[in-house]
């Protein structure tokens, strides 16, 4: 058996694992990553990149159609085959060659295979099903960055019907004539938008509503616009059984007995952590569970006690703090840096907003949902802020009433909401829904993370005539 020792061993070379390794190497330590599929992880090949590529062309087309002058220049429909080709290139044609050479240039060792924790600071890598085993030892830390997978709900017959998960939707080489979607969250809403624009007749079974965790006006707008795009959105509908017949047709039976037929079924009902087979049982943790971490992202057990002397870290989806690439990479920077300072015996900055903690995970996570209209949010919704016991004031503004919006697109429709913590006079949450609001989000994130007092925000003057003038309107609506 081959043996090797590094300062840090990272299991999982998705966006998070890669960044942890890069950070520790930049800090002067040695690092190896273990990867069982493609270096770059879910995001690069089956999630963020391919799905956004599926959505982008239709979004550009809609934008042109919303503008007199440009509208007349659009003479045809969306070219689905060209969209799929562009998607392929954004998924690097499912080759990780470039990522592997980047690892090499960054001085990070790569072991391909299933990584499992074998002992304190020990990781075994099984290369292939029956391949050799490599035994790795970490002098300083092992970092679990194994991500998450699609959760298949417990519906009769669903597995036998071989449904799509987000992976199959992201890599689809053909557009099904009829697509049924179980779920109403981000993946369900984005993929319903994408496949409707590519030509599928889409039915969405949204038991808990569309984007139910967002501000209520978000679900209303997205549901309405999905409907206008020809998508049948069944709010409150739930499938009780699924069956795929001999000709490939999928039959869904709903709780009220209604039948839905489709050529493909996409299941988008949440995520499960990739911890089933990573050796957690060897160190007293439960296989298949999300990993719980302390402020500096060290794994703790059910009683909140550190695993061992704190050699085990978990970053990215697997710790369930925020299942988003940018937030996982933010955690990766904190983890990489804290491992380095601990190795050097230097001071750990673990106070709120300190260098070695991921404070933003708690109340300042930005997210964009690339539906039509786009949804951009950061921080707490009004409901979440109230549940957290904050004394808040909610300020709403009609995005259509901003001069920049009217210029941006004919018939622009949208909403903006800011949630103000009345005791501290700072914004704790902001939600924008409307065409092309994604790029407005970072201003909101800076306001929330910077805890910029409203008094000072009056001096951040948005340029005229941009959609960002909504910031001034929100402040005016709040009053000075
Ligand atoms: C359809 C979809 C769209 C999304 N779109 C966005 C988006 O637009 N923006 C955004 O910010 N986020 C998006 N996300 C979320 C984003 O994909 C994840 O948050 C991100 O990929 C998490 O990164 P990670 O490194 O933690 O895990 P992953 O990307 O899942 O990477 C984990 C890696 O670990 C490897 N691995 C697992 N177990 C082992 C093991 N035992 N041994 C060796 N290797 C192992 C896996 O093969 C994988 O490569 C989307 C998710 C989905 C499902």
């Amino acid at each position: 058996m081959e043996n090797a020792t590094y300062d840090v061993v990272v299991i999982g070379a998705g966006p998070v694992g890669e960044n942890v390794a890069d950070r520790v190497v930049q800090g002067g330590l040695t690092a190896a990553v273990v990867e069982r599929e493609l270096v770059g992880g879910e995001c690069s090949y089956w999630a963020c990149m391919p799905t956004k590529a599926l959505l982008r062309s239709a979004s550009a087309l809609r934008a042109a159609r919303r503008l007199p002058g440009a509208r007349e220049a659009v003479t045809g429909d969306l070219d689905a085959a060209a969209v799929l080709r562009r998607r392929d290139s954004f998924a690097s044609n499912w080759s990780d060659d470039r990522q592997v050479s980047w690892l090499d240039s960054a001085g990070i060792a790569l072991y391909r295979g299933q990584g499992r924790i074998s002992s304190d600071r020990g990781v075994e890598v099984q290369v292939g099903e029956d391949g050799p085993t490599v035994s790795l030892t970490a002098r300083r830390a092992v970092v679990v960055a194994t991500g998450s997978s699609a959760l298949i709900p417990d519906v009769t017959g669903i597995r036998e019907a071989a449904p799509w998960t987000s992976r199959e939707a992201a890599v689809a080489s053909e557009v099904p004539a009829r697509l049924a979607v179980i779920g109403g969250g981000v993946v369900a809403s984005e993929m319903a938008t994408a496949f409707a624009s590519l030509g599928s007749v889409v039915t969405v079974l949204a038991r808990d509503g569309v984007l139910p965790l967002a501000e209520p006006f978000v679900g209303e707008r997205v549901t309405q616009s999905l409907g206008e795009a020809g998508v049948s959105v069944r709010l409150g509908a739930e499938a009780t059984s699924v069956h795929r017949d001999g000709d490939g047709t999928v039959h869904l039976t709903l709780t009220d007995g209604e039948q839905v037929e489709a050529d493909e079924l996409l299941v988008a009902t949440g995520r499960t952590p990739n911890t089933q087979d990573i050796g957690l049982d060897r160190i007293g943790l439960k296989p298949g569970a999300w990993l719980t971490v302390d402020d500096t992202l060290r794994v703790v057990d059910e009683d909140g006690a550190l695993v061992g002397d704190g050699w085990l870290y978990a970053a990215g989806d697997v710790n369930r703090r925020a299942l988003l690439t940018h937030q996982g990479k933010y955690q990766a920077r904190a983890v990489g840096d804290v491992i380095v300072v601990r190795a050097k015996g230097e001071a750990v900055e673990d106070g709120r907003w300190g260098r070695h903690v991921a404070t933003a995970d708690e109340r300042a996570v930005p997210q964009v949902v690339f539906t039509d209209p786009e949804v951009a949010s950061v921080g707490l919704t009004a409901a979440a802020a109230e549940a957290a016991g904050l004394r808040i004031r909610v300020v709403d503004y009609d995005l259509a009433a901003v001069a920049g919006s009217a210029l941006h697109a004919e018939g622009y429709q949208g909403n903006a909401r800011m949630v103000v913590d009345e005791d501290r006079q700072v914004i704790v949450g902001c939600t924008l829904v409307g065409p092309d609001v994604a790029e407005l989000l970072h201003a909101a994130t800076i306001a929330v993370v910077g805890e910029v007092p409203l008094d000072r925000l009056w001096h951040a003057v948005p340029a005229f005539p941009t959609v960002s003038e909504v910031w001034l309107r929100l402040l005016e609506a709040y009053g000075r």
Side-chain angles (χ1 to χ4, degrees):
M1 187 194 294
E2 184 188 333
N3 295 298
T5 299
Y6 297 86
D7 290 318
V8 179
V9 175
V10 183
I11 310 178
V16 177
E18 286 180 316
N19 273 271
V20 171
D22 187 37
R23 210 73 188 178
V24 296
V25 168
Q26 284 187 35
L29 305 184
T30 59
V33 291
V34 183
E35 175 52 54
R36 67 180 181 189
E37 289 189 273
L38 295 178
V39 175
E42 202 73 14
C43 181
S44 303
Y45 309 101
W46 298 285
C48 327
M49 296 308 279
T51 60
K52 266 76 258 183
L54 285 177
L55 286 155
R56 177 62 197 141
S57 303
S59 163
L61 190 57
R62 281 191 298 269
R65 285 189 171 138
R66 282 177 182 139
L67 283 171
R71 179 187 297 153
E72 290 72 13
V74 177
T75 52
D77 291 330
L78 190 72
D79 181 340
V83 172
L84 298 184
R85 280 196 301 277
R86 184 165 188 264
R87 180 275 321 271
D88 292 354
S89 78
F90 270 86
S92 308
N93 291 296
W94 294 276
S95 158
D96 64 1
D97 288 353
R98 269 191 311 193
Q99 301 281 85
V100 171
S101 38
W102 173 80
L103 281 182
D104 200 36
S105 67
I108 301 163
L110 169 64
Y111 291 84
R112 286 197 183 269
Q114 176 80 15
R116 296 185 184 91
I117 298 164
S118 50
S119 59
D120 275 18
R121 295 185 160 80
V123 173
E124 277 181 7
V125 186
Q126 189 182 345
V127 183
E129 291 233 329
D130 308 309
T133 301
V134 180
S135 179
L136 303 176
T137 304
R139 282 186 214 97
R140 303 292 176 188
V142 173
V143 183
V144 178
T146 50
S148 65
S149 301
L151 182 79
I152 308 288
D154 201 9
V155 174
T156 308
I158 200 161
R159 286 180 188 275
E160 294 76 9
W164 280 3
T165 66
S166 53
R167 274 200 168 197
E168 288 75 26
V171 306
S173 54
E174 282 176 16
V175 177
R178 296 167 301 173
L179 176 69
V181 181
I182 300 183
V186 176
V187 173
S189 304
E190 287 187 344
M191 290 302 90
T193 306
F195 279 90
S197 72
L198 290 167
S200 297
V201 174
V202 181
T203 304
V204 176
L205 307 178
R207 186 189 64 186
D208 303 327
V210 169
L211 300 172
L213 300 179
E215 297 285 8
F217 57 80
V218 167
E220 286 164 22
R221 279 230 186 263
V222 174
T223 303
Q224 184 190 335
S225 108
L226 282 171
E228 287 163 8
V231 176
S232 167
V233 182
R234 313 282 181 89
L235 299 174
E238 188 176 357
T240 53
S241 70
V242 178
H243 168 70
R244 191 188 285 268
D245 67 21
D247 73 3
T249 304
V250 183
H251 304 264
L252 295 107
T253 306
L254 310 189
T255 35
D256 61 4
E258 200 195 330
Q259 302 279 317
V260 172
E261 277 189 9
D263 300 293
E264 285 300 346
L265 167 65
L266 166 63
V267 173
T269 51
R271 308 287 296 171
T272 183
N274 292 332
T275 56
Q276 197 62 49
D277 185 21
I278 63 164
L280 291 185
D281 46 331
R282 304 267 186 101
I283 51 169
L285 296 175
K286 200 167 145 224
W290 297 97
L291 293 177
T292 308
V293 291
D294 72 0
D295 283 351
T296 59
L297 303 158
R298 288 177 299 190
V299 177
V300 296
D301 64 17
E302 279 174 0
D303 303 321
L306 279 181
V307 170
D309 62 0
W311 56 272
L312 186 65
Y313 292 74
D317 276 16
V318 77
N319 68 26
R320 210 186 199 176
R321 286 167 67 110
L323 278 71
L324 291 161
T325 293
H326 46 268
Q327 217 61 23
K329 285 161 76 172
Y330 160 74
Q331 294 170 14
R333 294 188 284 275
V335 167
D337 289 358
V338 81
I339 292 171
V340 170
V341 299
R342 285 192 172 120
K344 292 181 176 170
E346 293 171 0
V348 173
E349 294 173 33
D350 58 0
R352 197 169 148 72
W353 302 115
R355 183 174 166 191
H356 303 128
V357 291
T359 308
D361 288 351
E362 294 161 20
R363 288 196 175 171
V365 175
Q367 177 164 26
V368 173
V369 187
F370 291 86
T371 42
D372 171 39
E374 287 175 351
V375 183
S377 62
V378 60
L380 302 178
T381 58
E386 270 165 3
L390 299 183
R391 196 171 67 84
I392 57 161
R393 183 165 153 207
V394 174
V395 183
D396 288 325
Y397 198 78
D398 177 4
L399 259 187
V402 178
S405 308
L407 263 174
H408 190 81
E410 290 282 291
Y412 192 107
Q413 292 186 347
N415 308 63
R417 166 171 288 186
M418 71 174 181
V419 180
V420 176
D421 178 340
E422 288 287 78
D423 292 327
R424 292 189 304 140
Q425 287 290 293
V426 296
I427 299 173
V428 290
C430 178
T431 299
L432 302 150
V433 53
D436 301 318
V437 294
E439 298 298 338
L440 297 184
L441 182 58
H442 200 55
T445 306
I446 292 169
V448 173
V449 171
E451 300 174 329
V452 184
L454 292 184
D455 279 358
R456 178 57 69 86
L457 265 188
W458 278 92
H459 296 275
V461 185
F464 180 82
T466 61
V467 185
S468 290
E469 264 208 316
V470 69
W471 280 103
L472 176 58
R473 304 289 169 237
L474 285 166
L475 288 173
E476 286 171 342
Y478 182 85
R480 201 173 192 179

